[in-house]
Amino acid sequence: GAGVSQSPRYKVAKRGQDVALRCDPISGHVSLFWYQQALGQGPEFLTYFQNEAQLDKSGLPSDRFFAERPEGSVSTLKIQRTQQEDSAVYLCASSHSGGVQETQYFGPGTRLLVL
Amino acid sequence: DQQVKQNSPSLSVQEGRISILNCDYTNSMFDYFLWYKKYPAEGPTFLISISSIKDKNEDGRFTVFLNKSAKHLSLHIVPSQPGDSAVYFCASRADYGQNFVFGPGTRLSVLP
């Protein structure tokens, strides 16, 4: 595809509801990243995949957050029992091979609002 | 504890003049630095990068300067154009890690 796509673009959830956010990386990109961006802040790292392997999940804020990339392409970020503090923009990025000086290409993000 | 700081939340510049956006970092292990630009309702877009082995990188109207001893980098845009109005994020990465650490961003407004 032309770029990283994410769906849905906007999601409103009631507190306690489970949500699933989808990311389609650039075709052929090995590395995939999830970031969380709170209002007025920069993106903060959540987790990183190389192909289907989740190599780093140190940024996930709690065990309610779960990410997967079972076939090494599309990824899903799942948030269980959403809380108001989960309200943020969730950004997905991909890079060709995850090399140290590679650029990450970002999708437009999913804006999650938990009421 | 913010490892990447952008102390100016906003900056206004007249069209045609120079815009200078600043970024400071604390982690001496960072060795690759980038600037991203973000328009509303879009994801960040890569602008320019610099490796720690250099002190300057130029791409058209955009130049990034790195001062490793001061742990400081800056982005110069000259001449500034109204289309440059956006939020600019500084990001850094250590050679042992994969993820970027972002600053909080500076909102640049270029006035016609």
Side-chain angles (χ1 to χ4, degrees), chain A residues 25-76:
Chain A
I26 293 172
S27 178
H29 276 195
V30 167
S31 297
L32 185 145
F33 305 80
W34 283 98
Y35 290 84
Q36 180 191 60
Q37 185 178 14
L39 191 64
Q41 301 296 318
E44 288 196 7
F45 171 76
L46 293 176
T47 187
Y48 156 63
F49 290 86
Q50 188 153 352
N51 294 306
E52 69 278 4
Q54 189 175 19
L55 299 186
D56 187 349
K57 53 182 181 179
S58 62
L60 296 176
S62 78
D63 58 8
R64 296 186 296 105
F65 286 71
F66 172 76
E68 60 183 4
R69 193 186 185 199
E71 297 178 0
S73 55
V74 170
S75 177
T76 303

Side-chain angles (χ1 to χ4, degrees), chain A residues 44-115:
Chain A
E44 288 196 7
F45 171 76
L46 293 176
T47 187
Y48 156 63
F49 290 86
Q50 188 153 352
N51 294 306
E52 69 278 4
Q54 189 175 19
L55 299 186
D56 187 349
K57 53 182 181 179
S58 62
L60 296 176
S62 78
D63 58 8
R64 296 186 296 105
F65 286 71
F66 172 76
E68 60 183 4
R69 193 186 185 199
E71 297 178 0
S73 55
V74 170
S75 177
T76 303
L77 176 67
K78 297 179 179 178
I79 309 174
Q80 297 176 324
R81 305 182 304 281
T82 52
Q83 304 294 316
Q84 286 185 321
E85 62 263 28
D86 300 335
S87 296
V89 175
Y90 291 85
L91 293 163
C92 175
S94 70
S95 66
H96 185 257
S97 61
V100 171
Q101 297 193 356
E102 270 201 355
T103 299
Q104 293 180 14
Y105 298 90
F106 282 83
T110 294
R111 184 176 295 275
L112 173 66
L113 177 62
V114 181
L115 302 176

Side-chain angles (χ1 to χ4, degrees), chain B residues 23-100:
Chain B
C23 176
D24 297 284
Y25 62 96
T26 58
N27 189 338
S28 58
M29 298 301 292
F30 287 152
D31 68 350
Y32 185 56
F33 307 88
L34 308 90
W35 285 92
Y36 278 85
K37 174 180 176 179
K38 186 180 182 304
Y39 293 119
E42 294 184 13
T45 303
F46 170 73
L47 196 56
I48 193 168
S49 64
I50 189 166
S51 164
S52 61
I53 62 173
K54 295 185 175 181
D55 55 17
K56 177 182 174 182
N57 189 26
E58 194 171 351
D59 184 3
R61 297 185 297 115
F62 303 92
T63 303
V64 56
F65 295 92
L66 174 63
N67 182 334
K68 278 198 72 177
S69 60
K71 295 192 179 68
H72 177 84
L73 64 156
S74 61
L75 173 68
H76 292 210
I77 307 173
V78 56
S80 301
Q81 299 173 354
D84 296 330
S85 297
V87 177
Y88 289 78
F89 292 101
C90 170
S92 305
R93 181 182 193 177
D95 63 0
Y96 55 80
Q98 292 291 337
N99 60 288
F100 292 138

Side-chain angles (χ1 to χ4, degrees), chain B residues 95-112:
Chain B
D95 63 0
Y96 55 80
Q98 292 291 337
N99 60 288
F100 292 138
V101 179
F102 284 82
T106 296
R107 182 178 299 278
L108 174 66
S109 299
V110 179
L111 310 173

